[in-house]
Amino acid sequence: QVQLVESGGGLVQAGGSLRLSCAASGSIFSINVMGWYRRAPGKERELVATITGGGSTDYADSVKGRFAISRDNAKDTVYLQMNSLKPEDTSAYYCTAEVFSHRGTWSQYWGQGTQVTVSS
């Protein structure tokens, strides 16, 4: 089994910054893509950013230039630096990882979510 544990959410004023972290642990041989999604109440889940094992990144248009995704492969951890936060960024943020386990199988795992609230 693999667990993803997120941290770093909270309440911040508009224009402020937060840094989310997500650490993977368990039966991990390697991790391919890691990423962050978000879902606000009454809305569909939205891709925020992804990063490959080689460091290639992709972002939603709504966060380009404000958010930065990074990862520490030695720690199996992915980060999301969020700057210039806006009230519309308020959401539950979930990390995800494509994991190749010691059993020789690929699976996608999700964290439990961390709430980000941006006040105006």
Side-chain angles (χ1 to χ4, degrees):
Q1 283 292 339
V2 174
Q3 298 80 39
L4 301 182
V5 178
E6 299 128 331
S7 60
L11 173 64
V12 64
Q13 289 187 335
S17 298
L18 284 175
R19 189 191 193 211
L20 305 183
S21 300
C22 174
S25 63
S27 180
I28 298 170
F29 183 79
S30 66
I31 301 178
N32 186 19
V33 178
M34 301 185 82
W36 292 92
Y37 286 72
R38 66 187 181 186
R39 181 164 56 198
K43 295 186 178 181
E44 293 188 354
R45 186 177 65 189
E46 175 189 21
L47 171 67
V48 178
T50 61
I51 184 168
T52 68
S56 297
T57 59
D58 191 26
Y59 295 93
D61 288 342
S62 59
V63 306
K64 283 181 180 176
R66 299 188 299 121
F67 291 10
I69 189 171
S70 61
R71 64 191 280 175
D72 184 334
N73 291 330
K75 296 181 178 180
D76 291 333
T77 299
V78 63
Y79 306 95
L80 185 68
Q81 178 66 43
M82 304 184 293
N83 300 323
S84 301
L85 282 161
K86 304 175 180 180
E88 51 263 44
D89 294 318
T90 295
S91 189
Y93 285 72
Y94 300 87
C95 74
T96 184
E98 295 176 357
V99 176
F100 189 71
S101 74
H102 290 291
R103 295 181 179 180
T105 58
W106 282 102
S107 298
Q108 185 169 13
Y109 293 90
W110 293 86
Q112 80 285 356
T114 186
Q115 179 67 34
V116 172
T117 302
V118 184
S119 63
S120 58

